[in-house]
Amino acid sequence: MSTHEGVAFRSESTSATAREVLADALRAADPVGSRAVERETAWRRQYLEHFRRAVEAGIGDAAAAQAIASAGLRSAHAAMRFGDVGLDVAVTDAPLDQVLHTTTVEGGAEPETELTLPYRGERLRGDALLRQLDAWVERGVVTASCSEAVRRVHGNPEWLRLEGDVVAVLGAGAEMGPYRALQRWGAEVVALDLPRADVQERIARVATDGAGRVHVPTRIVTSGRGDGGSDVGADLVRELPAVAHWLGSFAGTSRLVLGNYCSPTAPCTCACRWRPTRWPRGWSRSTRRRRWPSSPPRPTCSRCPPRRWPGRRRRTAGVGWGGWPGTRRGW
């Protein structure tokens, strides 16, 4: 029986998982590169070279780029489990511990009818936006194709409402997500994030102040929670079957567009939990260097609570604060 709670990689090693996924991604487009990934013995130091090779293998060849992306996604999908079963089984056949209902919030503002972009404390619009796009292309900040795509949307502002589409924003409370912009434009959004009161309050405030329609998952409860949680929202990692069942209810008359956005408040599902909070007794500094040759142990994502990592930051000549014991590198 699996010891994982919710969605997790089948391997405790994120390095092994990354090697497996990248090797599978390159297998058809670059067999030599795929074998190099599988034979790499210093992955923590050399992984950037292999990812760079994957990018280079798709440059100038759209078919190769799509093949690499598709094979990598299939491999990553196969490497993940929900408890003891694969993701496909969890989504379609797993029993539901919770049935989620829908609460809809209608915004009261008027939708924006012009594309604007935030830049240095102001919003670029009209000719100012087009001039800035030219400057970015000239300086190499964006590609010409990116500039052309923005210009097309600028010339067709009716696209902003995304008529006929329902956008499911996974991680709606994340700062990097499009949830706020979609609400300014008057789009219909399915907003999913953790059942935390502070997160759900932000989502509700944006929905009320926006110009679109927002659907959020609601639990079958009769009173508020006293643990800082909320009766609105769902945990995609631990409640995958219920979330999949709920999202399926929107795939009817409209096209459901799914977007997954990083949220630092989400629970951790990576393999960072296995790392020690203290050095095992008796380990010498040479042993520590062999275990983590280039960087101190740290969580692989920003979701984990702060850890008390072993050793102390110390002053190292030429490095400044943060030199790792036995190395010349800072944090």
Side-chain angles (χ1 to χ4, degrees):
M1 178 177 291
S2 173
T3 59
H4 296 303
E5 181 183 0
V7 178
F9 290 118
R10 61 174 173 237
S11 171
E12 291 288 347
S13 169
T14 52
S15 294
T17 301
R19 288 176 59 186
E20 178 185 354
V21 171
L22 188 59
D24 290 341
L26 287 171
R27 203 171 308 281
D30 185 1
V32 176
S34 176
R35 289 193 294 272
V37 171
E38 293 175 329
R39 297 171 181 172
E40 179 60 69
T41 58
W43 177 259
R44 286 182 61 84
R45 291 196 299 268
Q46 302 297 332
Y47 70 94
L48 289 178
E49 296 297 327
H50 298 289
F51 277 97
R52 183 180 296 112
R53 180 163 185 164
V55 174
E56 293 172 346
I59 294 177
D61 189 342
Q66 291 178 349
I68 292 171
S70 298
L73 286 172
R74 287 194 298 271
S75 180
H77 186 83
M80 303 190 80
R81 295 287 185 271
F82 180 79
D84 296 321
V85 301
L87 295 187
D88 289 335
V89 176
V91 167
T92 58
D93 298 329
L96 300 180
D97 295 330
Q98 172 73 263
V99 177
L100 300 172
H101 291 255
T102 302
T103 297
T104 301
V105 180
E106 299 278 356
E110 290 295 322
E112 294 184 5
T113 57
E114 180 184 19
L115 177 65
T116 63
L117 293 181
Y119 183 63
R120 293 186 174 178
E122 61 178 347
R123 300 200 71 87
L124 298 177
R125 65 183 74 240
D127 292 338
L129 172 58
L130 300 181
R131 288 194 298 270
Q132 188 61 57
L133 288 172
D134 291 335
W136 282 336
V137 172
E138 183 177 353
R139 289 157 44 198
V141 177
V142 300
T143 63
S145 60
C146 175
S147 173
E148 180 58 31
V150 176
R151 287 174 180 273
R152 289 185 62 195
V153 177
H154 177 269
N156 297 272
E158 68 277 6
W159 292 356
L160 295 177
R161 288 182 63 91
L162 298 174
E163 295 287 353
D165 289 340
V166 176
V167 184
V169 181
L170 309 184
E175 292 294 334
M176 66 167 287
Y179 173 59
R180 293 173 177 81
L182 290 170
Q183 285 309 289
R184 291 200 313 270
W185 299 335
E188 184 173 4
V189 173
V190 174
L192 181 69
D193 214 315
L194 292 174
R196 280 180 34 183
D198 56 335
V199 174
Q200 295 303 322
E201 286 172 5
R202 290 201 307 269
I203 292 175
R205 185 167 55 251
V206 172
T208 303
D209 297 340
R213 177 183 300 149
V214 178
H215 308 285
V216 293
T218 308
R219 299 168 183 277
I220 307 175
V221 291
T222 57
S223 62
R225 294 165 49 172
D227 59 355
S230 172
D231 299 334
V232 181
D235 188 334
L236 177 62
V237 172
R238 295 181 173 86
E239 301 175 287
L240 177 62
V243 171
H245 180 268
W246 180 68
L247 288 175
S249 65
F250 296 96
T253 58
S254 301
R255 183 178 65 165
L256 184 63
V257 180
L258 191 66
N260 187 20
Y261 303 94
C262 176
S263 176
T265 60
C268 174
T269 58
C270 65
C272 62
R273 293 176 178 173
W274 66 268
R275 296 186 175 177
T277 57
R278 306 189 68 178
W279 288 114
R281 181 169 299 185
W283 277 30
S284 65
R285 286 188 176 180
S286 60
T287 303
R288 300 173 190 178
R289 286 200 300 272
R290 287 197 296 271
R291 182 63 188 86
W292 283 286
S294 62
S295 62
R298 59 186 183 274
T300 55
C301 69
S302 60
R303 309 174 195 174
C304 303
R307 299 288 187 102
R308 179 187 173 187
W309 296 113
R312 296 180 180 176
R313 294 193 298 178
R314 62 187 177 89
R315 187 78 177 179
T316 305
V319 175
W321 290 108
W324 186 246
T327 72
R328 300 290 293 178
R329 297 171 60 91
W331 282 20

